[in-house]
Amino acid sequence: MFWRMTGLSAASPVDTILDKENFTLEELLDEDEIIQECKALNSRLINFLRDKAQVEQLLRYIVEEVPEDSEKKRSFKFPFIACEIFTCEIDVILRTLVEDEELMDLLFSFVKPDHPHSTLLSGYFSKVVICLMLRKTAPLMNYVQGHPEIVVQLVDLIGITSIMEVLIRLIGADENIYSNYGDTMQWLENTDVLEMIADKFSSSDSPEVHANAAEILCAVTRCAPPSLATKICSPSFVGRLFHHALEESRPKSVLVHSLSVCISLLDPKRLASASYQAFRSNLSHGALVTASPETVDGMLESLGNLLKLLDTSSAENVLPTTYGFLRPPLGKHRLKIVEFISVLLTIGSETAEKELIRQSAIKRSIDLFFEYPYNNFLHHHVENIIVSCLEGKRTELVEHVLNECDIVGKILVAERLSSLSTESNGPTVPSEEKAPPRIGNVGHMTRIANKLIQLGNGNSTIQAHLQENTEWVEWQTNVLVKRNEVENVYHWACGRPTSLHDRGRDSDDDDFRDRDYDVAALANNLSQAFRYGIYSNDDIEEAQGSLERDDEDVYFDDESAEVVISSLRLGDDQEGSLFTNSNWFTFDGERGINDRLSGSVPSSSPNSEETSLETEEADDGKVIGTEDEMETACLGNGSTEEAKDAECTEQPNCSTADEPLQNTEGIERHSDVLNGDTEVADSEVSSEQVSHDTDVQQPVKEIAGEDVDEIKTDAVKASD
C-alpha cells in the first residue's frame, strides 16, 4: 500500500506499539488506527490478536458489564473496538473463537438469565454472533445444536431487538443466510421454538416483546425451513395465536400483533421487505399468494369473537380532537381487524367470503367507514374491501355490497350532508364551539363511485342497480362528472408546461426523452459560453484567458450536455434558449467588447478602420483574442504572411488570396493583395471550431526575431 512505502510516510502507531518489548492489549485498543490496521491485514497485529488469551479478553469486553464508576474507555471505547475487530471477519481470529469450547461458552454466557443485559452490550453481542453465522455457519450451528438451552434463553430475551435479530437468523428466517446450509437446519424440526415464541403473547405484558415476537413469526412466514413453515401454517398454531389474542385480560397489543402474523400468513408479500421481494421475484412474480384451506378455516373459527370487538356502543373512553370528540376512538385493534377482513377477501376463498357475509363483517366495516369520517387508514382498508367484493367473480358478494350494505345509498346520504352532523349518535361528535367541519372521506367516496361506474360497464348487475336509482343518475351527472374534471391532474396547468395537457403520463423523465435536443449544438454553445465568461463575474482578461486551456477542459461531451438538459429541460420553451438549435450566442455586446479590446492593440496596417469593420462582421462563433495575442499576431505571424506573399509573387501559379493559416493558438488569417498593398485581417476562433471546421491544419513556419528585417527587405524587392 502507498502509506507503507519506505520514505513516503511515518511508521504506523500500531507498529510502534508492537515494537515495544512489553505492551498490553489495552494500549492497542486505545490506538485509533487499530481497525484500519486490521482491515489492512497487518500480520504482526493479527498474529498477536489471534492468540487465545487476547481473544478471551476481547470477548470479556463485549459480554461483561463494568461498574458505573469505571473509566469511559473501559465502558465504551474498548467494547466497541473489540466488537469491530471481530466484525473485520479475519479468518484466523474467528477460527480461534469457534474452535475453542471455552471461548464459545464465554460468548454465550451473555444470554444466561442471571447475566445483566444492557442495550449497548446486546448490540455488540448480536454483531459478533451474526458475523459467526455468516462466516462460520457450520461450527456455530453445531455448537448451538449441542446446547439447546441457548435457544430458550434467546427467546426469553426476545424483548431486546438485538437478540431478536440473532434469533431470526438462528432459526433460518433470513433470506440472506443459510442458502447453502440447509442440512444444518434439520435439527430445528425437533424443537418447539415457534410455540415458545407464540407463548410470549401470553406470558409477557410488554408491547416490545409482542412486537418482536410478531416480527420473528412474520419472518418465518416469508423465509424459513420447510419444517417451520409447515408448523406455523397448521390450524393448531393459528388457534394458539387467536387464543392468546382474544383473552380479555391481555393488552390490546397482543391482538394487534397476533393479527399481523395472521395477515402475513394470508399474504406474505404485504409485509415482505424489498430485498426479499427482489430475491424471490423469479419465483413469485405473476402468481397469486394463496393460503391453505386449513389455515383459513382455523382463522374463521375465531371470526365471530373478532367482530364483537368492532362494536363501539359499550365503550366509554373519550378522545378529544381538533374538530370535537371521539366516543370511543377507533383504536389500533379495530383497525387491524378491518385490515384482516380486507386480506381475507383477497385470497379468493369461497368459504371465507360466505362466512364474512353471514356474520355481516363487510357491512360492519362499511358502517365504520361513515362513522369515522376522519380516519383515512380505515377508509383505505374499507375501500379495498368494497373493490374486492365488486371485482370478485361471485354474484353474492356484489349483491351483498349493493343491497344489504347499500353502499350507493350511503354515499348519496353522505354527499347531501357533506358536513359533520351535530345530531348524529355516532362516535364522531363535532365541537359545539365551532362550525361543523366538512367530512374527510369524500375523496374515498369519489374513488368508490368511479369504481362502481367503471365496473358497471362490464357487469349487468351493477349497471342495473345504478340505473334504477334516479338520485344516483342525477348526482353522477351534476356532481361527479364536474368533480372528476376539476380533480383531473392532467388538466392542471399551475405554471407547468402546456405540453402536459391531455398526456397519458406525467413523467419528467419521459417528457425529457420526448424532446429532440441537438446535443452537439448545445455542447458547442456551452463551450463558447464558458469562454466568454458568461457564468462568472470575472473581468474580461480572466474570461479571455480561458482560451489557453486545452480542448479537454472546455469541451462538453454528449453525456454532460444531457445532464444539463435534464436539470434545465424547461428552458427550451423560450425563444433563443440555451437548449434550442438556434445560435443564441449572438448578442449586442460583442461590438462593445471588440471596441474595448481593439483600443489597446496597435494597428497592423494603415487601414485600421477597414480591419475593425471586418472583425465586427466576423461569424458569431469567433472569439476575441487578448492584447498579447494580438501583438503576437501582428509582429510574428504577420511577417510570416508577408514572406509567403513575397514567395508567391515570384511564382505566377501560386494563389494566396483568402488562404487560411492557423497557428497553435487557433488564430486564423486572410491575406488580401490589392495594388501591392498587403492588408491583414486578424480574427480568432475557438479551438473547438478550428478542430471541427478544418480537417488538416497547415504547418506554420517559425521565424526568428533577428530575420524579420531581412524578410521585409526581400518582400520589398519582390514587390518592386
Side-chain angles (χ1 to χ4, degrees):
M1 296 182 179
F2 175 78
W3 54 85
R4 292 190 180 279
M5 296 180 66
T6 305
L8 293 180
S9 63
S12 169
V14 173
D15 289 332
T16 303
I17 296 175
L18 294 174
D19 290 336
K20 299 180 180 178
E21 294 184 1
N22 298 320
F23 62 90
T24 62
L25 178 63
E26 287 74 13
E27 292 182 58
L28 288 173
L29 297 181
D30 195 29
E31 178 54 49
D32 294 336
E33 295 186 7
I34 183 172
I35 302 302
Q36 287 80 356
E37 292 294 325
C38 286
K39 293 181 178 179
L41 301 180
N42 187 322
S43 58
R44 297 175 61 193
L45 176 62
I46 293 175
N47 289 332
F48 174 76
L49 295 176
R50 66 180 295 184
D51 187 66
K52 178 182 176 180
Q54 314 307 328
V55 174
E56 180 180 356
Q57 184 60 36
L58 292 175
L59 288 177
R60 293 189 182 279
Y61 286 135
I62 294 175
V63 301
E64 293 182 355
E65 291 284 352
V66 296
E68 296 182 357
D69 56 348
S70 301
E71 295 182 1
K72 290 186 177 181
K73 290 182 180 180
R74 177 62 184 86
S75 302
F76 299 102
K77 184 174 183 178
F78 290 171
F80 169 75
I81 298 297
C83 175
E84 290 299 312
I85 290 175
F86 284 113
T87 54
C88 285
E89 301 179 354
I90 301 173
D91 185 72
V92 292
I93 297 179
L94 297 182
R95 193 186 311 152
T96 302
L97 174 58
V98 297
E99 292 179 356
D100 192 290
E101 187 82 8
E102 295 180 359
L103 294 179
M104 293 295 290
D105 292 341
L106 176 61
L107 174 62
F108 282 96
S109 66
F110 181 79
V111 297
K112 291 183 177 180
D114 56 347
H115 194 283
H117 308 98
S118 67
T119 305
L120 180 65
L121 295 186
S122 297
Y124 296 150
F125 169 81
S126 171
K127 292 182 67 176
V128 173
V129 174
I130 292 175
C131 178
L132 293 178
M133 290 180 184
L134 290 170
R135 300 303 175 189
K136 300 295 178 181
T137 306
L140 177 68
M141 296 306 298
N142 292 333
Y143 176 82
V144 176
Q145 185 177 355
H147 300 77
E149 69 277 1
I150 292 178
V151 178
V152 180
Q153 295 168 355
L154 290 174
V155 173
D156 292 337
L157 298 176
I158 201 174
I160 303 175
T161 304
S162 300
I163 305 298
M164 179 264 294
E165 293 176 353
V166 173
L167 191 57
I168 286 179
R169 290 162 174 80
L170 188 63
I171 63 178
D174 187 278
E175 61 271 16
N176 298 320
I177 301 181
Y178 309 130
S179 58
N180 299 322
Y181 296 93
D183 297 338
T184 60
M185 308 306 301
Q186 297 297 327
W187 64 276
L188 287 171
E189 297 180 3
N190 302 323
T191 63
D192 297 331
V193 59
L194 293 183
E195 288 78 1
M196 289 187 294
I197 294 174
D199 289 341
K200 283 297 177 181
F201 289 120
S202 176
S203 61
S204 175
D205 293 337
S206 171
E208 290 79 11
V209 172
H210 303 156
N212 291 343
E215 178 65 25
I216 294 177
L217 295 176
C218 290
V220 171
T221 63
R222 297 193 295 265
C223 179
S227 58
L228 295 183
T230 303
K231 184 179 293 187
I232 199 173
C233 292
S234 63
S236 60
F237 187 83
V238 173
R240 182 191 293 263
L241 283 177
F242 276 102
H243 173 72
H244 298 321
L246 295 174
E247 289 182 8
E248 295 182 359
S249 60
R250 306 302 300 145
K252 297 303 181 183
S253 61
V254 176
L255 174 61
V256 172
H257 295 296
S258 298
L259 288 177
S260 296
V261 178
C262 295
I263 291 172
S264 182
L265 282 171
L266 294 173
D267 190 0
K269 290 194 298 183
R270 291 173 60 88
L271 300 179
S273 62
S275 60
Y276 172 72
Q277 290 184 7
F279 176 74
R280 303 280 291 182
S281 60
N282 58 336
L283 300 178
S284 59
H285 178 70
L288 294 176
V289 178
T290 57
S292 63
E294 294 79 10
T295 304
V296 177
D297 293 340
M299 297 178 182
L300 293 178
E301 293 176 359
S302 304
L303 181 61
N305 295 326
L306 289 176
L307 295 178
K308 291 179 182 179
L309 298 175
L310 294 181
D311 184 16
T312 59
S313 58
S314 59
E316 298 180 356
N317 52 331
V318 178
L319 177 66
T321 64
T322 56
Y323 52 81
F325 302 93
L326 287 175
R327 299 175 180 174
L330 182 67
K332 290 183 180 180
H333 62 290
R334 295 189 182 93
L335 181 64
K336 186 62 70 172
I337 293 173
V338 175
E339 182 182 359
F340 175 67
I341 296 172
S342 173
V343 177
L344 274 177
L345 287 169
T346 62
I347 63 177
S349 173
E350 184 177 359
T351 304
E353 294 173 356
K354 290 182 178 179
E355 190 67 18
L356 291 173
I357 293 175
R358 187 182 67 83
Q359 300 197 25
S360 300
I362 300 174
K363 184 177 184 300
R364 180 57 188 151
S365 300
I366 294 177
D367 290 339
L368 291 175
F369 179 90
F370 295 96
E371 291 176 2
Y372 291 91
Y374 300 107
N375 194 318
N376 293 145
F377 297 105
L378 172 66
H379 303 158
H380 170 73
H381 294 311
V382 175
E383 181 185 353
N384 290 338
I385 291 175
I386 296 173
V387 172
S388 298
C389 294
L390 296 177
E391 291 181 344
K393 298 179 180 180
R394 297 176 178 86
T395 309
E396 294 82 358
L397 274 178
V398 178
E399 293 178 350
H400 177 71
V401 173
L402 296 178
N403 298 324
E404 284 82 359
C405 299
D406 192 19
I407 182 63
V408 175
K410 291 179 179 179
I411 290 177
L412 294 176
V413 171
E415 286 288 341
R416 287 198 305 267
L417 306 174
S418 59
S419 299
L420 189 61
S421 176
T422 57
E423 301 177 357
S424 175
N425 296 326
T428 305
V429 182
S431 176
E432 298 179 356
E433 301 176 355
K434 301 179 182 179
R438 182 179 174 84
I439 57 178
N441 53 4
V442 176
H444 285 86
M445 289 192 299
T446 303
R447 288 159 57 104
I448 295 172
N450 289 329
K451 196 67 177 181
L452 282 169
I453 297 173
Q454 176 187 351
L455 296 176
N457 297 328
N459 191 317
S460 58
T461 303
I462 300 177
Q463 183 71 21
H465 184 84
L466 297 179
Q467 295 298 329
E468 291 173 0
N469 194 326
T470 56
E471 184 179 359
W472 169 271
V473 175
E474 182 181 355
W475 175 78
Q476 176 185 350
T477 305
N478 298 331
V479 178
L480 184 61
V481 174
K482 296 179 180 179
R483 181 182 298 172
N484 290 333
E485 291 179 357
V486 172
E487 296 178 356
N488 187 355
V489 296
Y490 299 114
H491 289 171
W492 294 358
C494 298
R496 304 187 67 182
T498 56
S499 61
L500 288 179
H501 289 183
D502 299 324
R503 289 177 60 90
R505 64 192 180 204
D506 188 12
S507 171
D508 289 340
D509 183 64
D510 292 338
D511 181 59
F512 155 66
R513 297 185 185 280
D514 288 344
R515 299 170 185 260
D516 184 17
Y517 294 104
D518 190 341
V519 178
L522 171 65
N524 189 28
N525 287 341
L526 287 175
S527 300
Q528 295 175 11
F530 279 97
R531 285 181 175 275
Y532 268 114
I534 288 178
Y535 297 110
S536 64
N537 294 326
D538 299 332
D539 56 89
I540 190 64
E541 292 183 359
E542 293 181 357
Q544 300 302 331
S546 63
L547 280 171
E548 299 177 3
R549 293 182 297 176
D550 296 334
D551 293 349
E552 296 178 357
D553 297 333
V554 298
Y555 183 74
F556 281 78
D557 57 4
D558 294 354
E559 229 176 67
S560 303
E562 288 181 0
V563 171
V564 179
I565 292 172
S566 62
S567 61
L568 299 172
R569 63 177 64 88
L570 299 181
D572 62 346
D573 292 337
Q574 300 178 1
E575 185 177 0
S577 168
L578 176 68
F579 301 96
T580 58
N581 294 338
S582 61
N583 195 342
W584 57 272
F585 210 69
T586 304
F587 54 94
D588 296 336
E590 186 175 1
R591 180 185 299 273
I593 296 177
N594 289 339
D595 295 342
R596 181 169 48 180
L597 289 176
S598 61
S600 60
V601 179
S603 176
S604 59
S605 67
N607 293 335
S608 60
E609 296 180 358
E610 186 175 354
T611 302
S612 175
L613 181 60
E614 290 184 6
T615 304
E616 293 174 0
E617 294 177 355
D619 295 337
D620 295 333
K622 306 300 175 72
V623 181
I624 311 303
T626 59
E627 181 176 348
D628 294 337
E629 294 168 347
M630 295 293 289
E631 291 177 354
T632 303
C634 294
L635 296 179
N637 293 329
S639 301
T640 304
E641 286 293 331
E642 293 174 1
K644 187 172 183 68
D645 291 343
E647 294 175 2
C648 292
T649 303
E650 297 177 356
Q651 301 177 6
N653 296 330
C654 180
S655 176
T656 60
D658 298 332
E659 180 177 357
L661 289 179
Q662 300 172 0
N663 62 5
T664 57
E665 294 180 355
I667 303 176
E668 181 178 342
R669 305 187 173 281
H670 298 276
S671 298
D672 298 328
V673 180
L674 299 174
N675 299 326
D677 296 334
T678 301
E679 178 179 323
V680 180
D682 296 334
S683 61
E684 299 178 6
V685 295
S686 63
S687 60
E688 293 84 53
Q689 289 177 324
V690 171
S691 61
H692 291 311
D693 295 341
T694 61
D695 297 332
V696 180
Q697 294 185 356
Q698 301 182 15
V700 179
K701 297 181 181 179
E702 295 184 359
I703 302 173
E706 58 268 21
D707 297 335
V708 172
D709 295 336
E710 297 179 5
I711 294 175
K712 287 184 177 180
T713 305
D714 294 340
V716 172
K717 293 179 179 180
S719 61
D720 293 336

